[in-house]
Amino acid sequence: MSFSTSSSSYNNKGDQDVMTILESSAEIIAKYILSNLSSLGPRLATVPNRRPLFVGLQGPQGVGKTTLTRKLLSALSSSPNSLNVAILSLDDIYLPHEGLVRVAQSNPQNGLLQGRGQPGTHDVELGESLFKQFVKNNEDVEIPVFDKSQFNGEGDRLSQGVKVKTPVDVVLFEGWSMGFYPLEQEQLRKRYLDVTSSKLDIVPGEPDVAEIVKRHKVDDLLVVNEFLKGYVEKLYPYFDIFVKIGPPKERPFGAIYGWRLEQEHYMKSTNGGVGMSDEAVRHFVDRYIPGYVFFADGVEKGYNTGEDEAVYQVDKCPPWKGRLLRITVNENREVTSWDTPAS
């Protein structure tokens, strides 16, 4: 199956009739996965102990990663594809509650680590162990389950997970910070100073990013920066291809806040009103903004050494360099553009 590497875009948001003919993100991603799978030769599950295709997927809070992965599972596992697909999330490998408490207590002044979500609150070794089991592809793999309702919403890992039968053809691993890369310490300090001293006008509908970042010391970000290195070393080498889903470029952070509020409103409409207030949701998202500001461009650029951005060392580039699918969506989560950059 072929997959064009040319880009597709549509920018007139007022014409919904034209927008509806665009392929959904699930359709685009499914075709991209199938094209890469076919390039490896025979269907993987038909070859004993053959390594599956590992797919990384990054998208911000509220963009619909859970719904998207369900659609991908349906598209890839149904006829005529009939593939065995394993779906994993960063949420699956959160540290157990005692581990989350330990991280928070070890960093008492670091607001980024007072609760789950940030790099440093996941069991990266567990994730690596799961990946290794999928590489062997000859024994069932138990995926952990994290219950976010435990401990008054702080969450805890359940004692029993969900078993995935092998062999599998595709392993898809998604998360809001998947593919994020750390910076050199001095580069992070410089970027922090640039952001917090910015005097740029705030775009209507966008948060004051400088003020949000100022709530955290640069040393707090350096701790998260250090934690990110474990993800780069233990998880990223497995990814054969990568998918990045981005918010609208003209209003990226505003869209994320809107999506997360929409999700909370929907949940509350179905459970009798139990959930966070709008203000609590905004504070929740605030804690993630520094990650997007400082580490998100690593999905495309890899490890920023602080050198000329046009010249990156090969060993600092992401393993998926040349095998990245970029999708941009509008505030209605409709695809407005996609491309597969050659480098």
Side-chain angles (χ1 to χ4, degrees):
M1 180 175 187
S2 63
F3 188 89
S4 173
T5 57
S6 62
S7 65
S8 173
S9 65
Y10 180 72
N11 295 314
N12 183 354
K13 293 192 286 186
D15 190 346
Q16 292 299 313
D17 291 335
V18 177
M19 183 66 77
T20 57
I21 71 172
L22 287 173
E23 294 177 289
S24 72
S25 53
E27 292 171 325
I28 296 170
I29 296 169
K31 286 183 178 181
Y32 189 61
I33 290 173
L34 290 169
S35 69
N36 279 275
L37 197 60
S38 64
S39 70
L40 297 179
R43 265 255 315 279
L44 302 192
T46 65
V47 181
N49 300 329
R50 182 71 180 268
R51 182 187 190 277
L53 182 78
F54 281 80
V55 183
L57 187 149
Q58 186 272 326
Q61 284 91 346
V63 76
K65 295 187 294 297
T66 300
T67 301
L68 172 61
T69 53
R70 279 201 298 262
K71 290 181 178 179
L72 280 172
L73 179 61
S74 175
L76 295 172
S77 62
S78 60
S79 179
N81 300 315
S82 303
L83 299 173
N84 190 12
V85 181
I87 305 288
L88 294 85
S89 168
L90 261 180
D91 291 1
D92 298 329
I93 61 169
Y94 274 130
L95 292 166
H97 183 259
E98 62 180 15
L100 294 173
V101 171
R102 187 164 53 249
V103 170
Q105 291 178 343
S106 300
N107 301 273
Q109 305 303 317
N110 191 335
L112 296 170
L113 297 173
Q114 301 308 303
R116 66 178 185 269
Q118 297 289 332
T121 63
H122 304 97
D123 190 338
V124 179
E125 286 73 18
L126 173 61
E128 182 183 31
S129 173
L130 294 171
F131 283 5
K132 286 181 177 179
Q133 292 176 64
F134 279 117
V135 167
K136 291 180 179 178
N137 220 4
N138 58 7
E139 294 182 358
D140 293 352
V141 180
E142 184 171 335
I143 306 300
V145 175
F146 190 88
D147 185 349
K148 296 179 181 179
S149 70
Q150 298 289 314
F151 291 94
N152 296 316
E154 293 179 3
D156 196 11
R157 186 185 301 163
L158 299 184
S159 58
Q160 188 170 356
V162 176
K163 287 192 175 181
V164 174
K165 291 188 176 296
T166 59
V168 298
D169 301 287
V170 177
V171 176
L172 191 151
F173 192 83
E174 58 89 1
W176 79 276
S177 61
M178 267 295 92
F180 285 16
Y181 265 75
L183 304 173
E184 289 284 358
Q185 288 195 13
E186 289 310 308
Q187 179 74 357
L188 178 53
R189 291 182 187 278
K190 180 181 182 300
R191 190 177 293 187
Y192 179 87
L193 184 61
D194 290 343
V195 170
T196 55
S197 61
S198 173
K199 302 297 183 183
L200 296 177
D201 292 335
I202 300 173
V203 177
E206 282 288 276
D208 189 336
V209 172
E211 288 302 314
I212 293 173
V213 171
K214 283 179 185 177
R215 298 172 194 169
H216 307 282
K217 299 176 181 178
V218 68
D219 287 344
D220 297 340
L221 286 159
L222 285 168
V223 173
V224 174
N225 192 66
E226 191 65 27
F227 276 129
L228 261 177
K229 294 178 181 179
Y231 298 68
V232 173
E233 295 168 1
K234 298 181 182 298
L235 301 182
Y236 294 2
Y238 287 89
F239 294 132
D240 301 296
I241 62 175
F242 204 93
V243 178
K244 175 184 178 181
I245 303 175
K249 294 177 182 178
E250 67 276 8
R251 191 170 172 263
F253 299 122
I256 295 171
Y257 281 92
W259 290 333
R260 189 60 185 82
L261 279 168
E262 181 184 288
Q263 285 185 331
E264 196 72 14
H265 290 172
Y266 175 77
M267 183 188 73
K268 291 166 73 173
S269 73
T270 62
N271 69 4
V274 178
M276 291 187 284
S277 67
D278 287 4
E279 186 65 21
V281 171
R282 281 189 283 269
H283 283 303
F284 173 83
V285 177
D286 283 350
R287 201 161 57 90
Y288 292 86
I289 296 302
Y292 294 118
V293 171
F294 295 103
F295 309 123
D297 57 0
V299 172
E300 298 185 41
K301 296 181 178 180
Y303 191 45
N304 190 338
T305 63
E307 301 165 355
D308 183 347
E309 292 197 359
V311 182
Y312 277 81
Q313 299 177 36
V314 173
D315 63 342
K316 302 297 185 182
C317 292
W320 50 85
K321 182 178 174 63
R323 299 187 304 277
L324 170 68
L325 170 64
R326 296 185 300 197
I327 296 176
T328 302
V329 298
N330 63 17
E331 292 187 39
N332 294 321
R333 302 182 182 86
E334 296 164 317
V335 176
T336 57
S337 68
W338 60 264
D339 68 353
T340 54
S343 60

